[in-house]
Amino acid sequence: MRRTIRKKPFQETPLNITVQSSTKGWREKALGLVTRFFTGLGVLFFIMILGYGTLLLYLFQSQTPSVPDSFVLTMEFSGSLPETDRVAGLGFGPVQPSLQTMLETLETARRDAAVKGIVARISANQYSMAQLYDLMGAIRRFRESGKFTYVISDSYGEDGSGMSEYLLASAFENIWLQPVGTVDISGFNLRSPYINALLERFNITPSFFKREGYKSMAETFQREGMSPENKEQMQALLDVFVDEFAQTVVVNRGMNAQTVKDAIKQAPLLDKTAQRLGFVDQVGYIDQLFTEVKTFHDFDNTQEGDYIGVGHYRAAREIHGRAQMDILPTRKKDAAKAGERARVARIVMEGAIMSGRSSDQGGPLSDAQMTFSRDYVSAIMKAAQDEDIKALFVRINSPGGSPVASESIRRALQYASDVAGKPVIVSMGSVAASGGYWVATAADQILVAPTTVTGSIGVVAGKFVVDDLLDEYGVAFEGVQYGPQSDLYSPLTPFDEGDVEVMNRYLDDIYGAFLERVSMGRDMTVEEARELAQGRVWAGKTAVENGLADQIGGLYEAKIAIAQALDIPADQIVMRDYPETKSPFEQILGLFSGEWTIQMPLSRILSHLATQIALAEQPQARTLLMDQTVAP
């Protein structure tokens, strides 16, 4: 007899899962945070070591790039052109070649029998007129060696004015333009923003003092339009820019100056019009250009090795911009062995001049282009005291900055010249004004490009007062102070009568010191210096005429000046960078060794957090803490 099994309906039983965790105290949490931080840092360090190890292994196993016995060098001019070589990322990225490296490449190629010519492409770039001056000189010297040069562009200035793009192209013998492209030589314009009305709308009062009439930096905040003095100096600069452009094209292309100026008024020029007027030699495509090179110069672009890129060429010829500055023709191969080579310290000052050290201002990952006085004073003194260093070459591309920082660097250069007895040669880039010119007054010789913005011998100081703005929103400040000028630079209080007197004394003292240094450095009286000063900027061409600079020239001419000062052949000069340029990876390693410090940024963060906590816990301390936080 079979037993009947009675099935019970399925009933869902809830499943309760209880997770128990111990409550961590603040010590355990802090320890965990620190552990995770250093674990992550260790992983990052391991990845970098692994990457560099792989790269070094590849370099040891690979052979030095080679080039054929006969080839065409291909180049591209685009983007920006720094004064010193830069490495992208943590050192794994490609090197962005500097102006110096580009010049060395062109000069090496000029002397290289294997290089038969250059085919270049020009795209949108931000090259300054001073940089173009150097590049054009190198290209012209390349042409004088009997080698051909071709350049092509889709459009010379498609996205705006192509003045700099075409100016560079004019140095080439054969200029090509792609069909439908244009030559947009539509001129120059120098404009400044004026935001005084905007500041008034927000009840912000700009309060600045200056020496003297042409010092225009604060105009953008205090005026609603350009002052007569500023318009005068800007027009003078613009006239030099236009004349220099026209004369350069006339020399490079054999054209009439009036034709060039008329074309500027008609621009942008369409392809056929540009060819008819003589601004381009051929309207065609890149493949047609290669066909012409093959036809007229016996090069076949279908054969591998006929065209060598500039990066490959630099690697094959071991051209290193940071170590050398061999931009003069070598009279014979063993010229370097003919006598002892003279070491020259190469010091590049780029960006605003500030007090302090770069290691205290953002650490090794900072991309800011600035000149910190303590870094450069240390480097200059080291070069001055090094018996192997025979001269100092200083490249200045700076709009100015702190008078105190500028004076520190100037004094170090004066020590190198007067005490150590080493010639100091200064080459100015696109701008060497205010503090940049202050530093240059210590030079034995100053070279400028025709369009270098030079001078601005003056001073400006002041602050923005925001008390009315804060009052409008119900924010008030009250406190105690000791010293009538303890809040001199505070944005919370306007200048009173005593403050104005102090500011005027300060500006008179700084301006007088500036004039004295110009007087001593340029061998003129203080009154003669004052006549040229007044805060005015001059084009380099005019600065040579009025005595603020010695001669027109770029990096090529600067090396000749150094050779003459040392009374040696120019091909025996070897440049060495001071301070030494380090890759981002080398700087990070310096962080671990204590060379770089994170103490300053960390202290600022902790100070800010402490202030916020105090404000939250002690409302009665809010006024005092806010004043301490905001006031300089």
Side-chain angles (χ1 to χ4, degrees), residues 40 71 137 174 199 205 219 221 238 247 379 412 420 460 501 522 590 620:
F71 63 93
N174 301 281
L199 295 177
T205 304
E219 278 192 9
F221 312 117
L238 187 63
Q247 291 301 320
V460 61
E501 182 180 349
R522 303 309 302 164
Q620 68 274 15

Side-chain angles (χ1 to χ4, degrees), residues 491-506:
L492 305 176
T493 57
F495 288 120
D496 60 24
E497 186 175 341
D499 295 336
V500 171
E501 182 180 349
V502 170
M503 290 298 295
N504 280 321
R505 285 203 309 267
Y506 170 72

Side-chain angles (χ1 to χ4, degrees), residues 300-343:
D300 185 358
N301 59 297
T302 62
Q303 294 182 4
E304 184 179 359
D306 279 351
Y307 295 91
I308 300 297
V310 66
H312 183 97
Y313 179 71
R314 278 199 296 264
R317 294 293 188 252
E318 297 183 352
I319 302 169
H320 302 293
R322 289 185 295 175
Q324 300 287 336
M325 189 178 167
D326 295 328
I327 60 173
L328 284 179
T330 304
R331 290 175 297 182
K332 54 184 178 178
K333 283 187 177 182
D334 60 346
K337 300 177 181 178
E340 183 181 355
R341 305 198 75 178
R343 291 180 177 268

Side-chain angles (χ1 to χ4, degrees), residues 141 163 166 175 191 212 226 281 333 355 506 524 568 573 590 621:
R141 290 188 292 273
M163 298 293 281
Y166 183 76
I175 303 178
R191 296 182 182 274
E212 296 185 38
M226 191 176 286
D281 298 292
K333 283 187 177 182
S355 297
Y506 170 72
M524 59 179 66
I568 62 172
I573 291 177

